[in-house]
Amino acid sequence: MTSRPIFASRRRRALFRSVAFSCLVLSTDGWAQSEKPAQALDPVVVQPPARPSSARSSGRNTAANAARSRQQRYVASTNSAPAAGPSGPAFAAPTLNLTGASTAGSRLGLTRLQTPASVEVISAETIAERGQQNILDAVTQNATGFTASPAPGNGGVSFNTRGFTGLGSVMTLYDGTQLYIGAGTVTFPFDTWSTERIEVLRGPASVLYGAGAVGGAINVVSKLPSWVPRNQAEISLDSNMTRRIAVDSGGPVSKDVAYRITATGNMSDGWVDRDNTSNVALHAVVQIKQTEDITWTLSTDYGDRNPSRYFGTPLINGRIDDALRFKNYNFSDSHIRYQDSWNQVKTEWQVADGISIQNTLYYLNSKRHWKDVESYAYNPATGLINRSSYIEIFHDQQQVGNRMDAKFSGHVFGMANEFLAGFDVNSINFTHTNNSPYSGASSVNPISFVPGVFSSPNATVPGFGSVTNQYALFAENRLSVTEQLSLIAGVRQDEPTITRTDYVAPAGSFEKSFSSTTWRAGAVYTPIKDLAFYGQYATAVDPVGGLISLSSANKNFDLATGRQIEIGVKQSFWGGRGEWTLAGYEIVKNNLLARDPNIPSLTVQVGQQSSRGVEASVGFLFDYGWRIDANTAFLRAKYDDFVQAVGGGSVNYAGNVPVNVPQTVSNIWATWAFAPNWSANAGVQIVGKTFADNANTVTRPAYNIVNAGVQWKPDPNTTVSFRVYNLFDEVYTTSGGTTQWLLGMPRTAQLAVNVKF
């Protein structure tokens, strides 16, 4: 199932060079200012995890306190008067969080400065301030180097980074747990209302999460219970008649029990013809402090979506015709629905000083249904749009698993050392029901047509089912050689076994086992406070076509392997009011599927793809209420060896850019608190051109999207927001092939009211 940079590159390079030079030659302590900035945004309290004390009698780092600290770290913006806690600093702005802890790059609870990798944290306050109501917008408009290729066929949450694309190379997780990819589709999470933060790791993440993350990983962290009473509600309406209502309630039930419930619902007329959409997302969590050392967190999530049934706009003579921008060529009775539930029980146990255990038991369930015509192509001979791929598919997926790790903090030969080891076991049942071979065809006038109704000559019957059993062992260690130098290493062993039952062709049934070992090793050197140089070597594996939906044609191929080397520097300066990062990397991925150059009909596993690039980010909180955040990524991604069958022969696409990979991506945001209780922000997303085919003959143009908004607080508990998305009404495409492209949302105005009570 399925332009134009606005700043000259010379100025951009000069900016980063000057910032880098200034940061290296000056002491950060000398930049601290004694005066409070005029009209500055309220600080966000972000507290890193407390270190275990040397004696239990002097103060325990209990699991209960750790849980309370985690809840306070990123939701402090919801309190009317945030203040710095005793164990951590008050950050000057929600986007300036280099010294805050993140789980995306390590399970040891390291800060971003302590992690030898490119890690970002997108806070709930940043997401709310910029009006990003879905995960896709929050990641692509904030994280360095990320773009997306959303489509109804992949669930609308497919990302690209560092030259690698799609759910099989850029992993999405929820609270650190991966929902395995069924037939190229993941559908949860999707809404940001229940999100506490989004943690982004750029580069291989297999050593943490397993197969499917050579490009990076996105971990959506849900809101935890609140230990102070809080209630919040928001309503919004936009020019596409998107109606949204959301509520958030939390507080203590007793001194040992607290809760949090969030719910949101959306209904929209859509921005293309006949494309009404709706969704509901619920999140409920209870935290119980059994003792001062044991904490239980029980949560349940539910998502029910009827997403867009727009599969793209057909190209007319290789380009988008403005007259077709709002046309929807799907059937009038087309149908898509995703239902996801996510249930977890987490246990945190502080066994003794320097010893803690965490366990997560989970059950995930996903049901999906598509009934559409999905392929459109303009026929120049007839002047009509030919429609094909009459598709009806059902997914039924259940996943049950348990992940546990134990952390030990102590000393090795007098050097501080943190060691973590654990296991991850799961079992996935997946059933694919379909009407393959998806026959059927029709032709309609591009402008005026009757959509028709779905009618397929092929029966919808169970196609195949699979049971995937997997276990993994992992370990991670951080050795502080000196106060300035630390060494970090990790290793993971994965052992999945897939048993596939083919209901249509029983001879295609099989059982297949894989084995993979991934590892990484890195170092962090901190010559002065809050300035870190790092380097890392990491390996990764990606599945060939997905593990749980592995086909009989791919069962004899190995997992694709990847390796990366990365070096970089990070710094927080100016008393926490500024930070910058700079990273350079090279990734090589082997064992791609390719055609045998001598026998074009034969597929072999010899291909290679690589990318190398530079990424940078800066953030400043200035006086008079100004804040600037910017990031940019430059890369050269290419196929090194990729032979494909074309016209009965073989063509090697070596040197070509992979599909859906832009070579430049930038985000720039400016926020200005221009008057008491008033603020404005504007951001531009700059995405370079991409190619829609392996031959690089079809180019999707570069684009610049500007979003802007104004916020007014008539009282401390009320916020009124007016935003305009795609301010200049850019016509741009986010994904698509050689005959049809999916277009992005046109200019849309939105009014929202948020009330705390």
Side-chain angles (χ1 to χ4, degrees):
M1 292 183 62
T2 93
S3 294
R4 312 171 290 274
I6 62 173
F7 293 112
S9 60
R10 289 184 179 178
R11 295 179 181 176
R12 188 153 40 202
R13 289 196 297 268
L15 171 62
F16 290 124
R17 287 171 179 168
S18 62
V19 171
F21 180 77
S22 300
C23 294
L24 290 172
V25 299
L26 297 177
S27 168
T28 56
D29 294 337
W31 290 337
Q33 296 188 355
S34 60
E35 294 183 357
K36 183 178 179 180
Q39 300 178 358
L41 297 177
D42 291 337
V44 179
V45 180
V46 183
Q47 298 181 10
R51 294 286 182 185
S53 58
S54 57
R56 290 176 68 85
S57 60
S58 63
R60 300 181 179 180
N61 178 28
T62 65
N65 290 336
R68 187 190 299 258
S69 176
R70 283 192 301 275
Q71 186 274 334
Q72 292 172 342
R73 275 202 298 269
Y74 289 94
V75 297
S77 61
T78 61
N79 299 327
S80 57
S87 62
F91 290 138
T95 52
L96 307 179
N97 49 33
L98 265 179
T99 56
S102 169
T103 60
S106 171
R107 299 185 189 275
L108 294 172
L110 305 181
T111 69
R112 291 176 59 199
L113 278 174
Q114 295 170 333
T115 304
S118 295
V119 180
E120 294 175 80
V121 176
I122 307 166
S123 69
E125 184 178 7
T126 298
I127 294 169
E129 178 186 79
R130 297 172 180 175
Q132 296 154 345
Q133 296 178 342
N134 59 74
I135 300 298
L136 187 142
D137 286 345
V139 172
T140 59
Q141 295 175 15
N142 296 315
T144 306
F146 271 80
T147 59
S149 300
N154 60 34
V157 288
S158 177
F159 294 95
N160 318 309
T161 188
R162 290 198 169 180
F164 297 90
T165 66
L167 295 164
S169 293
V170 183
M171 185 184 295
T172 301
L173 307 104
Y174 189 61
D175 287 334
T177 299
Q178 175 192 181
L179 176 64
Y180 279 74
I181 305 163
T185 307
V186 170
T187 50
F188 192 88
F190 57 91
D191 195 281
T192 58
W193 181 254
S194 64
T195 300
E196 179 182 318
R197 65 189 184 274
I198 301 174
E199 301 180 336
V200 174
L201 171 64
R202 304 193 303 276
S206 293
V207 72
L208 290 169
Y209 306 117
V214 70
I218 299 164
N219 184 27
V220 180
V221 181
S222 63
K223 291 179 178 177
L224 285 173
S226 172
W227 289 91
V228 293
R230 53 154 298 129
N231 296 282
Q232 185 176 194
E234 181 173 289
I235 59 172
S236 66
L237 177 68
D238 73 17
S239 54
N240 297 322
M241 290 305 296
T242 303
R243 293 88 73 193
R244 176 181 174 89
I245 184 169
V247 294
D248 182 356
S249 177
V253 176
S254 68
K255 66 180 182 66
D256 295 323
V257 180
Y259 79 96
R260 189 73 170 269
I261 298 175
T262 71
T264 182
N266 297 268
M267 297 182 67
S268 178
D269 291 352
W271 59 269
V272 296
D273 298 335
R274 300 174 293 101
D275 197 33
N276 296 335
T277 64
S278 63
N279 63 66
V280 172
L282 303 174
H283 170 68
V285 57
V286 174
Q287 197 166 73
I288 303 169
K289 295 184 287 188
Q290 177 179 335
T291 68
E292 65 175 357
D293 293 326
I294 301 176
T295 298
W296 297 80
T297 303
L298 294 81
S299 66
T300 184
D301 290 85
Y302 177 72
D304 191 342
R305 301 170 63 193
N306 290 283
S308 171
R309 300 179 307 282
Y310 163 70
F311 274 84
T313 300
L315 303 179
I316 307 296
N317 299 321
R319 63 179 183 84
I320 293 292
D321 188 324
D322 288 344
L324 309 187
R325 184 180 184 188
F326 301 105
K327 298 296 182 182
N328 181 3
Y329 293 92
N330 212 333
F331 294 126
S332 59
D333 66 340
S334 59
H335 177 77
I336 303 178
R337 188 179 183 186
Y338 310 140
Q339 294 173 282
D340 296 275
S341 64
W342 201 288
N343 306 282
Q344 302 180 90
V345 178
K346 295 184 178 181
T347 309
E348 297 173 286
W349 179 22
Q350 188 70 31
V351 181
D353 283 335
I355 303 176
S356 61
I357 294 176
Q358 296 189 71
N359 190 84
T360 301
L361 175 67
Y362 59 86
Y363 174 74
L364 317 178
N365 186 37
S366 185
K367 296 181 181 297
R368 311 179 186 114
H369 180 213
W370 294 264
K371 186 177 73 172
D372 308 275
V373 56
E374 300 186 2
S375 298
Y376 320 130
Y378 174 70
N379 186 335
T382 63
L384 301 178
I385 304 298
N386 294 338
R387 304 187 301 182
S388 59
S389 298
Y390 285 42
I391 289 178
E392 183 168 32
I393 290 179
F394 291 87
H395 287 180
D396 191 354
Q397 180 176 345
Q398 297 85 38
Q399 177 177 328
V400 61
N402 192 85
R403 182 177 63 254
M404 187 176 76
D405 60 65
K407 179 182 175 182
F408 305 88
S409 300
H411 290 79
V412 174
F413 300 113
M415 296 176 288
N417 190 77
E418 296 167 285
F419 174 75
L420 179 144
F423 66 86
D424 190 347
V425 295
N426 54 63
S427 179
I428 306 107
N429 282 271
F430 181 69
T431 302
H432 193 280
T433 301
N434 59 74
N435 68 324
S436 177
Y438 315 118
S439 303
S442 59
S443 298
V444 296
N445 184 281
I447 303 298
S448 177
F449 60 92
V450 176
V453 296
F454 183 89
S455 178
S456 173
N458 309 117
T460 302
V461 297
F464 70 90
S466 70
V467 176
T468 304
N469 294 311
Q470 174 171 281
Y471 71 87
L473 303 175
F474 55 84
E476 189 174 0
N477 194 82
R478 178 177 186 258
L479 178 65
S480 299
V481 180
T482 68
E483 291 186 359
Q484 290 77 34
L485 177 63
S486 61
L487 304 178
I488 296 95
V491 64
R492 181 181 174 110
Q493 180 70 31
D494 283 278
E495 300 287 337
T497 298
I498 302 98
T499 302
R500 175 181 168 123
T501 302
D502 195 313
Y503 302 122
V504 177
S509 302
F510 64 85
E511 181 174 289
K512 173 70 174 182
S513 295
F514 293 95
S515 180
S516 64
T517 304
T518 54
W519 60 276
R520 68 175 181 179
V524 179
Y525 177 62
T526 308
I528 60 175
K529 187 179 185 304
D530 293 338
L531 170 65
F533 296 87
Y534 70 90
Q536 181 185 200
Y537 182 89
T539 65
V541 292
D542 277 356
V544 178
L547 286 178
I548 69 174
S549 51
L550 184 70
S551 68
S552 58
N554 292 340
K555 67 179 175 28
N556 294 321
F557 295 122
D558 296 326
L559 300 174
T561 59
R563 62 185 187 275
Q564 174 191 262
I565 185 169
E566 177 179 343
I567 58 173
V569 58
K570 317 172 188 180
Q571 185 174 33
S572 175
F573 61 93
W574 208 359
R577 294 173 57 199
E579 66 182 37
W580 67 281
T581 69
L582 180 65
Y585 66 89
E586 181 181 54
I587 304 176
V588 178
K589 180 178 178 180
N590 294 290
N591 292 337
L592 306 181
L593 298 186
R595 299 291 185 178
D596 188 313
N598 299 314
I599 311 175
S601 61
L602 179 64
T603 300
V604 294
Q605 196 172 25
V606 297
Q608 178 175 296
Q609 176 183 345
S610 65
S611 67
R612 59 180 61 182
V614 176
E615 300 166 340
S617 68
V618 293
F620 296 97
L621 179 64
F622 298 105
D623 290 344
Y624 307 106
W626 280 97
R627 188 172 88 242
I628 303 293
D629 300 294
N631 57 62
T632 190
F634 301 91
L635 69 99
R636 174 66 173 103
K638 61 186 177 70
Y639 290 119
D640 301 307
D641 181 16
F642 194 53
V643 179
Q644 294 291 285
V646 178
S650 298
V651 176
N652 193 338
Y653 292 120
N656 286 9
V657 178
V659 173
N660 291 331
V661 175
Q663 306 274 38
T664 58
V665 181
S666 301
N667 290 296
I668 304 171
W669 281 94
T671 304
W672 181 30
F674 59 89
N677 303 317
W678 286 87
S679 67
N681 62 52
V684 56
Q685 182 184 14
I686 306 168
V687 179
K689 69 177 182 180
T690 57
F691 294 104
D693 63 335
N694 291 325
N696 289 179
T697 59
V698 180
T699 303
R700 298 203 302 266
Y703 60 87
N704 306 321
I705 304 301
V706 177
N707 301 311
V710 177
Q711 290 185 318
W712 171 49
K713 294 183 70 66
D715 61 65
N717 295 320
T718 305
T719 303
V720 180
S721 304
F722 178 74
R723 302 183 179 94
V724 180
Y725 304 96
N726 193 2
L727 180 63
F728 298 107
D729 200 25
E730 179 100 346
V731 179
Y732 67 102
T733 178
T734 58
S735 60
T738 58
T739 64
Q740 71 196 72
W741 292 347
L742 275 82
L743 303 183
M745 186 173 67
R747 178 168 50 226
T748 300
Q750 180 198 71
L751 181 65
V753 179
N754 185 293
V755 179
K756 299 175 183 178
F757 53 95

PDB file of all heavy atoms in Angstrom, residues 397-419:
ATOM      1  N   GLN A 397      -3.587  -7.103  14.699  1.00  0.00           N
ATOM      2  CA  GLN A 397      -2.259  -7.292  15.295  1.00  0.00           C
ATOM      3  C   GLN A 397      -2.333  -7.186  16.809  1.00  0.00           C
ATOM      4  O   GLN A 397      -2.894  -6.235  17.353  1.00  0.00           O
ATOM      5  CB  GLN A 397      -1.290  -6.236  14.737  1.00  0.00           C
ATOM      6  CG  GLN A 397       0.124  -6.336  15.288  1.00  0.00           C
ATOM      7  CD  GLN A 397       1.060  -5.321  14.632  1.00  0.00           C
ATOM      8  OE1 GLN A 397       0.745  -4.744  13.593  1.00  0.00           O
ATOM      9  NE2 GLN A 397       2.214  -5.095  15.236  1.00  0.00           N
ATOM     10  N   GLN A 398      -1.745  -8.175  17.484  1.00  0.00           N
ATOM     11  CA  GLN A 398      -1.623  -8.139  18.951  1.00  0.00           C
ATOM     12  C   GLN A 398      -0.160  -8.379  19.321  1.00  0.00           C
ATOM     13  O   GLN A 398       0.505  -9.222  18.715  1.00  0.00           O
ATOM     14  CB  GLN A 398      -2.489  -9.205  19.623  1.00  0.00           C
ATOM     15  CG  GLN A 398      -3.992  -9.049  19.409  1.00  0.00           C
ATOM     16  CD  GLN A 398      -4.463  -9.669  18.116  1.00  0.00           C
ATOM     17  OE1 GLN A 398      -3.974 -10.733  17.720  1.00  0.00           O
ATOM     18  NE2 GLN A 398      -5.408  -9.033  17.437  1.00  0.00           N
ATOM     19  N   GLN A 399       0.281  -7.640  20.304  1.00  0.00           N
ATOM     20  CA  GLN A 399       1.677  -7.765  20.752  1.00  0.00           C
ATOM     21  C   GLN A 399       1.705  -7.731  22.269  1.00  0.00           C
ATOM     22  O   GLN A 399       1.198  -6.797  22.892  1.00  0.00           O
ATOM     23  CB  GLN A 399       2.519  -6.627  20.178  1.00  0.00           C
ATOM     24  CG  GLN A 399       3.976  -6.616  20.623  1.00  0.00           C
ATOM     25  CD  GLN A 399       4.761  -5.496  19.961  1.00  0.00           C
ATOM     26  OE1 GLN A 399       4.489  -5.118  18.825  1.00  0.00           O
ATOM     27  NE2 GLN A 399       5.744  -4.946  20.665  1.00  0.00           N
ATOM     28  N   VAL A 400       2.280  -8.749  22.864  1.00  0.00           N
ATOM     29  CA  VAL A 400       2.435  -8.801  24.317  1.00  0.00           C
ATOM     30  C   VAL A 400       3.915  -8.982  24.615  1.00  0.00           C
ATOM     31  O   VAL A 400       4.624  -9.707  23.904  1.00  0.00           O
ATOM     32  CB  VAL A 400       1.593  -9.945  24.934  1.00  0.00           C
ATOM     33  CG1 VAL A 400       2.014 -11.294  24.393  1.00  0.00           C
ATOM     34  CG2 VAL A 400       1.676  -9.914  26.454  1.00  0.00           C
ATOM     35  N   GLY A 401       4.403  -8.277  25.623  1.00  0.00           N
ATOM     36  CA  GLY A 401       5.827  -8.362  25.902  1.00  0.00           C
ATOM     37  C   GLY A 401       6.186  -7.849  27.277  1.00  0.00           C
ATOM     38  O   GLY A 401       5.347  -7.285  28.006  1.00  0.00           O
ATOM     39  N   ASN A 402       7.436  -8.047  27.615  1.00  0.00           N
ATOM     40  CA  ASN A 402       7.958  -7.577  28.897  1.00  0.00           C
ATOM     41  C   ASN A 402       9.414  -7.143  28.711  1.00  0.00           C
ATOM     42  O   ASN A 402      10.197  -7.820  28.046  1.00  0.00           O
ATOM     43  CB  ASN A 402       7.891  -8.676  29.959  1.00  0.00           C
ATOM     44  CG  ASN A 402       8.161  -8.133  31.352  1.00  0.00           C
ATOM     45  OD1 ASN A 402       7.255  -7.646  32.012  1.00  0.00           O
ATOM     46  ND2 ASN A 402       9.401  -8.204  31.810  1.00  0.00           N
ATOM     47  N   ARG A 403       9.732  -6.002  29.281  1.00  0.00           N
ATOM     48  CA  ARG A 403      11.092  -5.476  29.223  1.00  0.00           C
ATOM     49  C   ARG A 403      11.532  -5.147  30.642  1.00  0.00           C
ATOM     50  O   ARG A 403      10.816  -4.456  31.382  1.00  0.00           O
ATOM     51  CB  ARG A 403      11.135  -4.228  28.341  1.00  0.00           C
ATOM     52  CG  ARG A 403      12.523  -3.616  28.168  1.00  0.00           C
ATOM     53  CD  ARG A 403      12.490  -2.435  27.217  1.00  0.00           C
ATOM     54  NE  ARG A 403      11.669  -1.324  27.712  1.00  0.00           N
ATOM     55  CZ  ARG A 403      10.471  -0.998  27.242  1.00  0.00           C
ATOM     56  NH1 ARG A 403       9.919  -1.708  26.251  1.00  0.00           N
ATOM     57  NH2 ARG A 403       9.796   0.011  27.742  1.00  0.00           N
ATOM     58  N   MET A 404      12.711  -5.624  31.016  1.00  0.00           N
ATOM     59  CA  MET A 404      13.224  -5.363  32.360  1.00  0.00           C
ATOM     60  C   MET A 404      14.700  -5.034  32.289  1.00  0.00           C
ATOM     61  O   MET A 404      15.432  -5.609  31.483  1.00  0.00           O
ATOM     62  CB  MET A 404      13.010  -6.558  33.286  1.00  0.00           C
ATOM     63  CG  MET A 404      13.382  -6.265  34.747  1.00  0.00           C
ATOM     64  SD  MET A 404      13.038  -7.630  35.866  1.00  0.00           S
ATOM     65  CE  MET A 404      14.386  -8.728  35.486  1.00  0.00           C
ATOM     66  N   ASP A 405      15.121  -4.085  33.111  1.00  0.00           N
ATOM     67  CA  ASP A 405      16.551  -3.792  33.210  1.00  0.00           C
ATOM     68  C   ASP A 405      16.901  -3.479  34.647  1.00  0.00           C
ATOM     69  O   ASP A 405      16.062  -3.038  35.445  1.00  0.00           O
ATOM     70  CB  ASP A 405      16.951  -2.643  32.283  1.00  0.00           C
ATOM     71  CG  ASP A 405      16.234  -1.346  32.588  1.00  0.00           C
ATOM     72  OD1 ASP A 405      16.451  -0.777  33.676  1.00  0.00           O
ATOM     73  OD2 ASP A 405      15.446  -0.888  31.733  1.00  0.00           O
ATOM     74  N   ALA A 406      18.138  -3.727  34.973  1.00  0.00           N
ATOM     75  CA  ALA A 406      18.678  -3.444  36.301  1.00  0.00           C
ATOM     76  C   ALA A 406      19.899  -2.546  36.142  1.00  0.00           C
ATOM     77  O   ALA A 406      20.756  -2.799  35.289  1.00  0.00           O
ATOM     78  CB  ALA A 406      19.061  -4.734  37.022  1.00  0.00           C
ATOM     79  N   LYS A 407      19.959  -1.520  36.966  1.00  0.00           N
ATOM     80  CA  LYS A 407      21.046  -0.554  36.891  1.00  0.00           C
ATOM     81  C   LYS A 407      21.864  -0.602  38.177  1.00  0.00           C
ATOM     82  O   LYS A 407      21.304  -0.632  39.276  1.00  0.00           O
ATOM     83  CB  LYS A 407      20.488   0.856  36.674  1.00  0.00           C
ATOM     84  CG  LYS A 407      21.544   1.945  36.606  1.00  0.00           C
ATOM     85  CD  LYS A 407      20.905   3.315  36.445  1.00  0.00           C
ATOM     86  CE  LYS A 407      21.934   4.425  36.499  1.00  0.00           C
ATOM     87  NZ  LYS A 407      21.314   5.775  36.399  1.00  0.00           N
ATOM     88  N   PHE A 408      23.184  -0.572  38.003  1.00  0.00           N
ATOM     89  CA  PHE A 408      24.104  -0.632  39.135  1.00  0.00           C
ATOM     90  C   PHE A 408      25.044   0.571  39.055  1.00  0.00           C
ATOM     91  O   PHE A 408      25.703   0.787  38.031  1.00  0.00           O
ATOM     92  CB  PHE A 408      24.922  -1.926  39.105  1.00  0.00           C
ATOM     93  CG  PHE A 408      24.081  -3.168  39.059  1.00  0.00           C
ATOM     94  CD1 PHE A 408      23.669  -3.702  37.845  1.00  0.00           C
ATOM     95  CD2 PHE A 408      23.693  -3.805  40.233  1.00  0.00           C
ATOM     96  CE1 PHE A 408      22.888  -4.837  37.791  1.00  0.00           C
ATOM     97  CE2 PHE A 408      22.913  -4.947  40.187  1.00  0.00           C
ATOM     98  CZ  PHE A 408      22.504  -5.468  38.967  1.00  0.00           C
ATOM     99  N   SER A 409      25.108   1.334  40.106  1.00  0.00           N
ATOM    100  CA  SER A 409      26.001   2.490  40.176  1.00  0.00           C
ATOM    101  C   SER A 409      27.032   2.246  41.269  1.00  0.00           C
ATOM    102  O   SER A 409      26.682   1.872  42.394  1.00  0.00           O
ATOM    103  CB  SER A 409      25.210   3.768  40.486  1.00  0.00           C
ATOM    104  OG  SER A 409      24.243   4.024  39.492  1.00  0.00           O
ATOM    105  N   GLY A 410      28.292   2.428  40.913  1.00  0.00           N
ATOM    106  CA  GLY A 410      29.348   2.204  41.887  1.00  0.00           C
ATOM    107  C   GLY A 410      30.676   2.700  41.366  1.00  0.00           C
ATOM    108  O   GLY A 410      30.724   3.717  40.657  1.00  0.00           O
ATOM    109  N   HIS A 411      31.757   1.983  41.689  1.00  0.00           N
ATOM    110  CA  HIS A 411      33.094   2.391  41.266  1.00  0.00           C
ATOM    111  C   HIS A 411      33.868   1.176  40.759  1.00  0.00           C
ATOM    112  O   HIS A 411      33.691   0.056  41.256  1.00  0.00           O
ATOM    113  CB  HIS A 411      33.866   3.045  42.416  1.00  0.00           C
ATOM    114  CG  HIS A 411      33.334   4.394  42.793  1.00  0.00           C
ATOM    115  ND1 HIS A 411      32.212   4.546  43.584  1.00  0.00           N
ATOM    116  CD2 HIS A 411      33.760   5.644  42.462  1.00  0.00           C
ATOM    117  CE1 HIS A 411      31.964   5.844  43.743  1.00  0.00           C
ATOM    118  NE2 HIS A 411      32.887   6.522  43.080  1.00  0.00           N
ATOM    119  N   VAL A 412      34.686   1.407  39.759  1.00  0.00           N
ATOM    120  CA  VAL A 412      35.593   0.405  39.225  1.00  0.00           C
ATOM    121  C   VAL A 412      36.998   0.989  39.262  1.00  0.00           C
ATOM    122  O   VAL A 412      37.270   2.001  38.603  1.00  0.00           O
ATOM    123  CB  VAL A 412      35.211   0.011  37.785  1.00  0.00           C
ATOM    124  CG1 VAL A 412      36.248  -0.931  37.201  1.00  0.00           C
ATOM    125  CG2 VAL A 412      33.825  -0.619  37.758  1.00  0.00           C
ATOM    126  N   PHE A 413      37.881   0.392  40.058  1.00  0.00           N
ATOM    127  CA  PHE A 413      39.243   0.895  40.233  1.00  0.00           C
ATOM    128  C   PHE A 413      39.239   2.387  40.592  1.00  0.00           C
ATOM    129  O   PHE A 413      40.030   3.174  40.077  1.00  0.00           O
ATOM    130  CB  PHE A 413      40.080   0.663  38.972  1.00  0.00           C
ATOM    131  CG  PHE A 413      40.193  -0.783  38.592  1.00  0.00           C
ATOM    132  CD1 PHE A 413      39.610  -1.259  37.423  1.00  0.00           C
ATOM    133  CD2 PHE A 413      40.868  -1.686  39.416  1.00  0.00           C
ATOM    134  CE1 PHE A 413      39.703  -2.593  37.070  1.00  0.00           C
ATOM    135  CE2 PHE A 413      40.969  -3.024  39.062  1.00  0.00           C
ATOM    136  CZ  PHE A 413      40.386  -3.480  37.899  1.00  0.00           C
ATOM    137  N   GLY A 414      38.302   2.751  41.449  1.00  0.00           N
ATOM    138  CA  GLY A 414      38.232   4.129  41.913  1.00  0.00           C
ATOM    139  C   GLY A 414      37.520   5.077  40.971  1.00  0.00           C
ATOM    140  O   GLY A 414      37.360   6.263  41.285  1.00  0.00           O
ATOM    141  N   MET A 415      37.056   4.594  39.822  1.00  0.00           N
ATOM    142  CA  MET A 415      36.355   5.434  38.854  1.00  0.00           C
ATOM    143  C   MET A 415      34.848   5.174  38.933  1.00  0.00           C
ATOM    144  O   MET A 415      34.417   4.018  39.024  1.00  0.00           O
ATOM    145  CB  MET A 415      36.859   5.150  37.434  1.00  0.00           C
ATOM    146  CG  MET A 415      38.327   5.493  37.216  1.00  0.00           C
ATOM    147  SD  MET A 415      38.927   5.030  35.565  1.00  0.00           S
ATOM    148  CE  MET A 415      38.974   3.238  35.712  1.00  0.00           C
ATOM    149  N   ALA A 416      34.055   6.237  38.905  1.00  0.00           N
ATOM    150  CA  ALA A 416      32.600   6.097  38.949  1.00  0.00           C
ATOM    151  C   ALA A 416      32.124   5.308  37.731  1.00  0.00           C
ATOM    152  O   ALA A 416      32.578   5.546  36.610  1.00  0.00           O
ATOM    153  CB  ALA A 416      31.941   7.468  38.987  1.00  0.00           C
ATOM    154  N   ASN A 417      31.214   4.373  37.968  1.00  0.00           N
ATOM    155  CA  ASN A 417      30.754   3.512  36.883  1.00  0.00           C
ATOM    156  C   ASN A 417      29.265   3.249  37.027  1.00  0.00           C
ATOM    157  O   ASN A 417      28.751   3.041  38.129  1.00  0.00           O
ATOM    158  CB  ASN A 417      31.505   2.175  36.901  1.00  0.00           C
ATOM    159  CG  ASN A 417      31.242   1.356  35.653  1.00  0.00           C
ATOM    160  OD1 ASN A 417      31.801   1.635  34.598  1.00  0.00           O
ATOM    161  ND2 ASN A 417      30.396   0.345  35.761  1.00  0.00           N
ATOM    162  N   GLU A 418      28.557   3.275  35.889  1.00  0.00           N
ATOM    163  CA  GLU A 418      27.142   2.925  35.844  1.00  0.00           C
ATOM    164  C   GLU A 418      26.969   1.816  34.825  1.00  0.00           C
ATOM    165  O   GLU A 418      27.419   1.935  33.684  1.00  0.00           O
ATOM    166  CB  GLU A 418      26.297   4.137  35.445  1.00  0.00           C
ATOM    167  CG  GLU A 418      26.347   5.274  36.453  1.00  0.00           C
ATOM    168  CD  GLU A 418      25.754   6.552  35.881  1.00  0.00           C
ATOM    169  OE1 GLU A 418      26.435   7.189  35.054  1.00  0.00           O
ATOM    170  OE2 GLU A 418      24.627   6.895  36.257  1.00  0.00           O
ATOM    171  N   PHE A 419      26.314   0.749  35.250  1.00  0.00           N
ATOM    172  CA  PHE A 419      26.127  -0.415  34.392  1.00  0.00           C
ATOM    173  C   PHE A 419      24.659  -0.805  34.403  1.00  0.00           C
ATOM    174  O   PHE A 419      24.008  -0.803  35.456  1.00  0.00           O
ATOM    175  CB  PHE A 419      26.980  -1.587  34.873  1.00  0.00           C
ATOM    176  CG  PHE A 419      26.727  -2.865  34.117  1.00  0.00           C
ATOM    177  CD1 PHE A 419      27.219  -3.033  32.833  1.00  0.00           C
ATOM    178  CD2 PHE A 419      25.991  -3.904  34.688  1.00  0.00           C
ATOM    179  CE1 PHE A 419      26.991  -4.205  32.123  1.00  0.00           C
ATOM    180  CE2 PHE A 419      25.757  -5.072  33.986  1.00  0.00           C
ATOM    181  CZ  PHE A 419      26.259  -5.227  32.701  1.00  0.00           C
TER     182      PHE A 419
END
